[in-house]
Amino acid sequence: MIKVEHVSKNFGKTHAVNDVSLTINKGDIISLIGPSGSGKSTLLRCIHGLEKIDGGAIYLDGEKMDPSDKVKYRKQRARMGFVFQHFNLFPNMTVLENCTLAQIQVLGKSKEEAEQTANEYLQKVGLQEKKDSYPNNLSGGQKQRVAIARALCMAPDMMLFDEPTSALDPEMIKEVLDVMKDLGTQGMTMIVVTHEMGFARKVGNRVVFLDQGEIVEEATSEQFFSNPQSDRAKDFLSKVMYD
Amino acid sequence: MFKAFDKVFTLENILYMGKGALMALCIAAVALTCGLILGTLGATGRNSRHVIPRTIANLYVTIIRGTPLLLQILMIFSVIPSIYTAITGKVLRIDPILIGMIALSINSGAYQTELIRSGINGVDKGQWEACETLGLSSWKTMKLVILPQAFKRIVPPLISEFITLIKDSSLISCIGAVELLKSAQVLGADYFEVMSPYLLAAIFYLIMTIVVSMIGAKIEKRLAVSD
């Protein structure tokens, strides 16, 4: 579905992502993990085009993603939903308006149609009763679930999550992971940058371990957590897993 | 000092001054609105990636903020008719009120450029990114997401800009526009005593500015619903 080929991204002299190649198939739930500064968020942002890549190419169903071909590029990006660490909900709009804005403005749906879709997904994330609230009156976990619903309203083929639970209080992490797990079981293709090893292990089917902008290890979740191959992955896991 | 106090404070004179006060309010409102448009354009220019709009906007702000408002009023008062005469050969007589509105709009636009720019730049860049991932064009992002949030931030400074404009509208009395201060001067000439009409004018200015800031506080409270 997505093919990342020799992608590089530099910030000044630092190689945030260095010659990374990766294939994501339909239905995959890929966890990008690694120490902070390893380039996992940057890689995710490059895949969606939030960061311009400095080298290599990204293919979506065999077709290159090329920012200079604006019409096609926009359509390609529209197939991916993106969820941010800090939610980025629109504070001046209600939950419902957050979910309908792009449906109306980008997909050209009527207000009624958009609201129907929005209600459907808000129900899915368990927040339909909050539809008239403003984001600042919600808890962190609720905000993130709204953000997921907002992305789903655009009917994407895959979802990209950039540390979706890192800004949450501990007791709110599960409610967000549960929503993501449901999505996964319904067959949504997902790429998740995460520090939640339990999620990566139980819900994700593959793990990509990055360090210093490079892929160090790529394996099925079970393999990676029970029998990591590289020293760096072993070292990382010994630090983050508390048994 | 207030020799003609009882003669000045009659209903007729108070109504006359009230008309001047309404005129001042009207001038300030026009300047605020036109300034808002100019300021939005200016802010867009200053934030632009292209060098030409950026340079024009920078020049505009630098020149207007760097020269006295009174001088700007006097210059516009003499420049517009002489350009008209140079082009058409005819003499142009424009209402000094209109000149005053133009001058104050241009002046306020420069201040509002900076105000709006800081409002726009104060909106979290995550908002732009969220719109980008949802497929919204940058124009729609600006119009539907960024500007509403920016304007909310600038409501308090915008209210004080309006108050400044109400007071600054008194400057156009020097080109013969009959607004509040000029009305006071007219009465002063009638009664050979300026202090009483000036006092009356001051009361009118105060009432207007106090009411405006009260309305401003109400609007702020209303906008805070989503906070």
Side-chain angles (χ1 to χ4, degrees), chain A residues 45 48-50 74 77 80 82 84 87-93 98 101-102 105-106 134 136-137 150-151 154, chain B residues 124-138 140 143-149 152 225-227:
Chain A
R45 291 166 61 85
H48 197 295
L50 284 169
R74 184 170 287 177
R77 291 183 75 187
M80 302 183 235
F82 201 99
F84 297 88
F87 332 121
N88 295 344
L89 294 175
F90 308 131
N92 54 325
M93 299 178 201
N98 263 276
L101 176 77
Q105 297 295 332
V106 179
Y134 282 94
N136 290 344
N137 296 328
R150 179 176 72 176
M154 301 303 284
Chain B
D124 182 40
K125 82 176 194 341
Q127 297 286 308
W128 284 98
E129 290 189 343
C131 291
E132 198 182 328
T133 62
L134 290 168
L136 286 160
S137 65
S138 48
K140 279 185 175 165
K143 191 177 76 171
L144 301 166
V145 176
I146 306 298
L147 280 182
Q149 292 182 52
K152 200 168 141 179
V225 170
S226 62
D227 285 339

Side-chain angles (χ1 to χ4, degrees), chain A residues 169-221:
Chain A
D169 289 335
E171 72 270 23
M172 293 168 184
I173 290 175
K174 195 170 172 298
E175 64 186 62
V176 172
L177 293 181
D178 282 343
V179 166
M180 292 167 62
K181 187 181 165 188
D182 280 350
L183 267 182
T185 44
Q186 283 157 28
M188 177 64 81
T189 309
M190 302 202 281
I191 310 173
V192 187
V193 172
T194 188
H195 293 293
E196 293 302 322
M197 294 305 143
F199 179 83
R201 183 170 198 164
K202 288 181 196 129
V203 181
N205 62 340
R206 267 164 68 207
V207 169
V208 173
F209 176 74
L210 286 106
D211 192 18
Q212 291 173 357
E214 291 170 13
I215 294 182
V216 178
E217 194 165 336
E218 200 185 335
T220 65
S221 303

Side-chain angles (χ1 to χ4, degrees), chain B residues 126-182:
Chain B
Q127 297 286 308
W128 284 98
E129 290 189 343
C131 291
E132 198 182 328
T133 62
L134 290 168
L136 286 160
S137 65
S138 48
W139 162 243
K140 279 185 175 165
T141 302
M142 191 57 139
K143 191 177 76 171
L144 301 166
V145 176
I146 306 298
L147 280 182
Q149 292 182 52
F151 275 117
K152 200 168 141 179
R153 291 161 177 272
I154 65 172
V155 163
L158 219 50
I159 298 293
S160 60
E161 175 70 14
F162 189 42
I163 290 171
T164 306
L165 282 168
I166 291 173
K167 294 182 293 176
D168 283 355
S169 69
S170 63
L171 287 171
I172 67 170
S173 62
C174 73
I175 54 170
V178 184
E179 36 64 69
L180 184 50
L181 180 58
K182 191 77 183 174

Side-chain angles (χ1 to χ4, degrees), chain B residues 4-21 180 183-184 186-188 190-191 193 196-197 200-201 204:
Chain B
F5 187 84
D6 52 333
K7 283 180 204 145
V8 172
F9 276 65
T10 59
L11 183 64
E12 190 189 354
N13 286 342
I14 290 173
L15 282 177
Y16 175 69
M17 293 281 283
K19 242 174 78 186
L180 184 50
S183 307
V186 168
L187 284 187
D190 281 355
Y191 297 100
E193 196 253 291
S196 306
L200 198 51
F204 269 112

Side-chain angles (χ1 to χ4, degrees), chain B residues 8-218:
Chain B
V8 172
F9 276 65
T10 59
L11 183 64
E12 190 189 354
N13 286 342
I14 290 173
L15 282 177
Y16 175 69
M17 293 281 283
K19 242 174 78 186
L22 266 178
M23 189 49 85
L25 203 62
C26 177
I27 293 162
V30 168
L32 188 79
T33 315
C34 298
L36 197 61
I37 296 163
L38 282 172
T40 310
L41 286 174
T44 319
R46 286 205 72 169
N47 276 340
S48 171
R49 274 176 294 145
H50 305 288
V51 79
I52 296 170
R54 212 167 54 221
T55 314
I56 294 172
N58 282 340
L59 267 175
Y60 169 52
V61 172
T62 310
I63 292 171
I64 297 299
R65 292 207 308 179
T67 53
L69 174 55
L70 184 56
L71 182 62
Q72 290 163 18
I73 293 168
L74 291 169
M75 279 181 82
I76 291 172
F77 184 58
S78 58
V79 153
I80 293 181
S82 54
I83 290 177
Y84 183 82
T85 309
I87 294 171
T88 62
K90 279 180 258 172
V91 179
L92 177 71
R93 283 204 51 84
I94 319 179
D95 188 350
I97 296 273
L98 186 64
I99 298 278
M101 284 174 175
I102 294 171
L104 281 173
S105 297
I106 293 173
N107 183 270
S108 182
Y111 286 94
Q112 290 192 49
T113 293
E114 286 305 87
L115 226 134
I116 293 165
R117 192 172 73 110
S118 72
I120 290 171
N121 294 352
V123 176
D124 182 40
K125 82 176 194 341
Q127 297 286 308
W128 284 98
E129 290 189 343
C131 291
E132 198 182 328
T133 62
L134 290 168
L136 286 160
S137 65
S138 48
W139 162 243
K140 279 185 175 165
T141 302
M142 191 57 139
K143 191 177 76 171
L144 301 166
V145 176
I146 306 298
L147 280 182
Q149 292 182 52
F151 275 117
K152 200 168 141 179
R153 291 161 177 272
I154 65 172
V155 163
L158 219 50
I159 298 293
S160 60
E161 175 70 14
F162 189 42
I163 290 171
T164 306
L165 282 168
I166 291 173
K167 294 182 293 176
D168 283 355
S169 69
S170 63
L171 287 171
I172 67 170
S173 62
C174 73
I175 54 170
V178 184
E179 36 64 69
L180 184 50
L181 180 58
K182 191 77 183 174
S183 307
Q185 288 169 337
V186 168
L187 284 187
D190 281 355
Y191 297 100
F192 304 106
E193 196 253 291
V194 287
M195 272 317 284
S196 306
Y198 282 170
L199 179 68
L200 198 51
I203 292 168
F204 269 112
Y205 279 117
L206 258 176
I207 291 171
M208 286 193 287
T209 50
I210 289 169
V211 168
V212 168
S213 49
M214 271 162 46
I215 294 170
K218 272 238 167 76

